[in-house]
Amino acid sequence: MTKTVLGLSAYYHDSAAALVRGSDIVAAAQEERFSRTRHDPGFPAGAVSYCLDEAGVRLNDLDSVAYYEQPKLKFRRVLATYAASAPHGWASFRRVLPEWLSWKYRTTETVQARLADLGRGSPPGVVCFGHHETHAASAFLPSPYQSAAVLTVDGVGEWTTTSLWHGREDQLTQVAELNFPHSLGMLYSAFTYFCGFKVDSGEYKLMGLAPYGQPVFAPLIREKLVDVKADGSFRLDTRYFEFLRGQVMTGRAFEQLFGGPRRLPEARLTQREFDLAASVQSVTEEIMLNLAATAREMTGEANLCLAGGVALNCVANGKIASSGLFDEIWVQPAAGDAGGALGAALLAARHDGGRAHVTQGRDAMRGSLLGPAYATEDIQRFLDSGGYPYTRLDERDLTARVAAELASGKIVGWFSGRMEFGPRALGARSILGDARDPEMQSKMNLKIKFRESFRPFAPVVLAEDAKEYFDLGQPSPYMLIVAPVAQQQRLEPGEDEKADSESADLTTRLKVTRSRIPAVTHVDHSARVQTVDGESNPLLHRLLSDFKSATGSSVLVNTSFNVRGEPIVASPEDAYRCFMRTEIDLLVLGNFLLARTAQPRWHEEDDWRREIPLD
C-alpha cells in the first residue's frame, strides 16, 4: 500500500512542509511564503495546511510524519560545543539553554502538539531522520538517476557538516563524513558576516560579489584558516572564528588577519570586500571540486547529486559540471534546510514500489512547481473586488502580447500556475525583462528590487537554444549552475575595455556592455542559467518562443517576484501589492493582464515604497 507521509523542517531557518505518496511528490512549500516572514524558522502551519489541502487529506489519513533532523543528538552537540569553549560563550549558552530544556529537546512532542492545534485531525507519530541523511535523500531520491554519488555540504546538522553517500535504486549508503566544527558552510558564512551581509541569507550576495575582486587572500585563508587536503577533507583553525563561543561569526582575530574591522551592513563596498569574496569563493570551489573527485573515486558513479546549503553555490556547481568528473550533476532545487522536509518524507515512504520517475527519464520535482496555484475564478474575484482594471486573454494571446511588451522594453510581473519550492523563481512567481537591454540590470536592481546594484540577474532560455548562448554541457532547469556566456555572444573589447578594468569603480564597471545579452552577463562573462523545456513549464516555454519570434532572441531576465527583504510572492494579493510598490510595468495574474498606469493609486508609489524593509 502506498504510504502518505508529511515531512517537516522547522525551528532553525527556512521552515517547510512536503507531502509525498510513495515516491510521488504531491506538494511542498516554505513557510515564509504564507507568513510573509523571510526565512521563517517557526512551525510551518501555513505550509502544512497547504500540503494537506493539495493532497485532499487530513492528519489522520497520514501514515507518518517525518522530521528532518534528530533534536536530541543536536542538543548533545550544542552542549559539547559550549563545554569545549567555556567560559567563553556563557552569555549565548544562557540564552539558548531555556528553550532547549523547555521544548526543543522534545521537538517531536512539540511538533505533534502544533499539528493537533491545526484542527485537521489527529496526527500520527513523528519519526526523525539525520539532518544530512534528509539532505542526501532530497538530492538522490527525486533525481533522474538509478544510481549516483551524493554529496551534501552545509553549515552543520547534528554533528555532520559534509557527507558523501552512494545512492542505488531507493537506498542510500553513507561513505564518508566530516564533523563540526570543521564546516565549509561556516567558513563561507564567516566571510559573509565579515563583509557586512546577513548570515544564512546573504551568502548568495557574497558569491555575486566575488567576480569584482581577485583571490589575493586565498593563500592566507589556506595558510591560517582552513587546512585543505587533496581528497576534499579540511580542518578549520577555530582560533580565528567566534561561532563556537558566541553569537557572531568573527572577531578580533579575523580583523587582525584581514587588515581591519568587518564592513558594517549598508556601508560602502571596497576593494577589500571584493577580494575577500573572490578569495573565499576560490577556496570553496577548490574544496568542492576535491570532494566531487573523491565522490567519483569512492562510488565509481558517473552522475553526482548535491544538496545542503553550500549546494546553492551555483558557481561551484558550475565548476563541477564543467570539470569532466561526472557525466552530469543534479542539484536539489530546495538544497537548504527547506529541502530536508522533502528528504524526510521520501525516506519515510521509500520502501514502497521504487522510483517510477526514473524509468520515465525525468526527475520527480515537477520543475519544482510544487506550491499552490490559484483558479481563474479566484483571481478574477480578487481583481473585481478591488476594482483593479484588467484584460482577460487566452493563453495563446497572453504569451504573444506579453512577448511583444517585453520586446518593447517593458518589465513584467509573471504570476502563473503553481508556486516554486526552493529559493529560486523558475517562471511561476517571476519578474521578467529583456536580456538584450543594457539598462535592464540597473533598472531592475534600483527601481524594481530596491537592492544592491552589483547583484547580477539570471537568464531563462529555451532549453533547445541554450548552447547558442551559454557554454553549458547539460540541462539547468533549476537555475543552480553558472556557465560562461558563449563566445559568439560576447562583444569585442572596445572603448569599454578600460572601464571594465580592476581599477575602475563599481558603478563604472556595471555600465559596461559585455555581450549581446548584457542584462544577464556578469562582470566575469558568466550567467546563472535556467533552461526551460516544453514539458516542465509549457506556458513559459511558449512565452520564450513568442519572444524569439518577435526578436530573434530566446533569452529573458528572470528574477524572483519580490522586493528586497521580503519573501517571493505567494498569492494574487501578494503579487498585486508588490506590483504597485515598484516600477513593474505590467502584471500577469493567470490569464489576466494588468497595466500599472491603469491602476488606482499607481501615482502614489513613493508612499508604498516607504514600507519596504532592508535585509
Side-chain angles (χ1 to χ4, degrees), residues 159-359:
W159 279 101
T160 305
T161 65
T162 303
S163 64
L164 172 59
W165 304 71
H166 195 168
R168 300 184 188 92
E169 297 183 351
D170 65 352
Q171 299 298 309
L172 280 158
T173 303
Q174 187 168 346
V175 176
E177 69 176 14
L178 297 174
N179 288 326
F180 188 81
H182 307 294
S183 164
L184 185 56
M186 289 293 191
L187 175 69
Y188 207 87
S189 290
F191 280 88
T192 300
Y193 173 82
F194 193 71
C195 289
F197 303 120
K198 191 174 181 180
V199 172
D200 289 332
S201 67
E203 283 78 5
Y204 61 97
K205 297 182 184 181
L206 194 72
M207 183 181 68
L209 197 65
Y212 293 98
Q214 290 294 318
V216 296
F217 295 109
L220 187 62
I221 293 172
R222 295 185 186 97
E223 178 188 350
K224 298 292 187 180
L225 299 184
V226 56
D227 180 18
V228 181
K229 303 299 185 184
D231 64 356
S233 62
F234 56 91
R235 291 184 65 84
L236 300 185
D237 188 335
T238 57
R239 294 175 299 176
Y240 288 93
F241 300 89
E242 293 297 317
F243 62 79
L244 288 172
R245 294 176 283 277
Q247 301 175 51
V248 296
M249 296 299 294
T250 65
R252 183 169 297 178
F254 231 74
E255 294 175 354
Q256 292 174 345
L257 195 60
F258 296 112
R262 66 180 285 253
R263 169 184 173 261
L264 296 177
E266 307 304 320
R268 186 177 70 88
L269 288 162
T270 69
Q271 191 63 42
R272 184 186 72 156
E273 283 76 52
F274 301 157
D275 292 341
L276 285 169
S279 299
V280 73
Q281 180 65 33
S282 174
V283 173
T284 297
E285 291 167 14
E286 176 189 0
I287 292 172
M288 290 295 286
L289 280 166
N290 289 348
L291 286 168
T294 297
R296 177 65 192 251
E297 180 181 351
M298 296 185 74
T299 66
E301 294 290 347
N303 297 307
L304 174 68
C305 300
L306 292 152
V310 178
L312 292 172
N313 192 308
C314 47
V315 178
N317 295 343
K319 298 291 185 182
I320 296 172
S322 64
S323 68
L325 286 168
F326 292 92
D327 293 349
E328 197 170 88
I329 71 169
W330 190 87
V331 187
Q332 164 55 235
D337 281 3
L342 175 61
L346 290 169
L347 284 168
R350 64 180 163 167
H351 301 292
D352 191 58
R355 300 158 63 225
H357 63 275
V358 175
T359 62

Side-chain angles (χ1 to χ4, degrees), residues 343-541:
L346 290 169
L347 284 168
R350 64 180 163 167
H351 301 292
D352 191 58
R355 300 158 63 225
H357 63 275
V358 175
T359 62
Q360 299 166 14
R362 58 175 178 82
D363 68 44
M365 294 300 295
R366 303 176 188 265
S368 201
L369 305 179
L370 297 167
Y374 289 81
T376 299
E377 313 83 73
D378 294 332
I379 296 174
Q380 185 168 8
R381 190 178 303 115
F382 161 69
L383 294 173
D384 289 342
S385 67
Y388 305 136
Y390 60 81
T391 300
R392 182 170 179 172
L393 301 165
D394 63 31
E395 287 188 355
R396 179 69 271 174
D397 290 338
L398 178 70
T399 56
R401 170 75 179 276
V402 172
E405 297 284 5
L406 287 164
S408 72
K410 296 291 196 302
I411 296 174
V412 178
W414 182 262
F415 182 103
S416 175
R418 296 185 71 176
M419 182 178 71
E420 300 93 342
F421 178 53
R424 307 297 184 211
L426 301 172
R429 306 291 186 269
S430 291
I431 298 173
L432 305 175
D434 187 349
R436 303 170 304 156
D437 184 349
E439 303 297 323
M440 188 59 67
Q441 180 188 9
S442 59
K443 189 188 303 183
M444 279 191 165
N445 267 330
L446 301 178
K447 295 184 178 182
I448 307 296
K449 302 283 282 187
F450 308 112
R451 69 184 198 180
E452 300 93 341
S453 60
F454 70 83
R455 290 168 59 184
F457 285 106
V460 57
V461 60
L462 289 173
E464 57 268 31
D465 293 347
K467 290 184 180 180
E468 180 182 340
Y469 294 94
F470 308 102
D471 292 336
L472 183 66
Q474 66 164 84
S476 179
Y478 301 120
M479 205 186 281
L480 286 170
I481 296 176
V482 163
V485 172
Q487 196 65 45
Q488 64 265 29
Q489 298 296 332
R490 301 186 190 186
L491 298 179
E492 291 295 324
E495 291 300 316
D496 284 341
E497 189 172 15
K498 291 183 179 179
D500 205 20
S501 68
E502 295 293 334
S503 60
D505 63 62
L506 181 60
T507 303
T508 302
R509 297 184 72 187
L510 286 169
K511 293 179 180 178
V512 175
T513 301
R514 300 178 178 85
S515 78
R516 293 180 176 86
I517 45 173
V520 296
T521 302
H522 204 11
V523 66
D524 60 349
H525 292 94
S526 69
R528 176 165 48 93
V529 184
Q530 179 194 1
T531 56
V532 175
D533 60 45
E535 182 179 353
S536 62
N537 194 329
L539 192 65
L540 183 60
H541 188 272

Side-chain angles (χ1 to χ4, degrees), residues 39-50:
H39 302 299
D40 193 336
F43 180 77
V48 168
S49 296
Y50 155 66

Side-chain angles (χ1 to χ4, degrees), residues 85-96:
S85 61
H88 305 287
W90 167 246
S92 176
F93 181 63
R94 186 171 56 184
R95 180 180 59 84
V96 303

Side-chain angles (χ1 to χ4, degrees), residues 24-43:
D24 182 38
I25 305 169
V26 178
Q30 291 150 268
E31 183 63 15
E32 67 166 16
R33 309 292 171 85
F34 303 94
S35 68
R36 309 309 300 159
T37 299
R38 196 163 181 238
H39 302 299
D40 193 336
F43 180 77

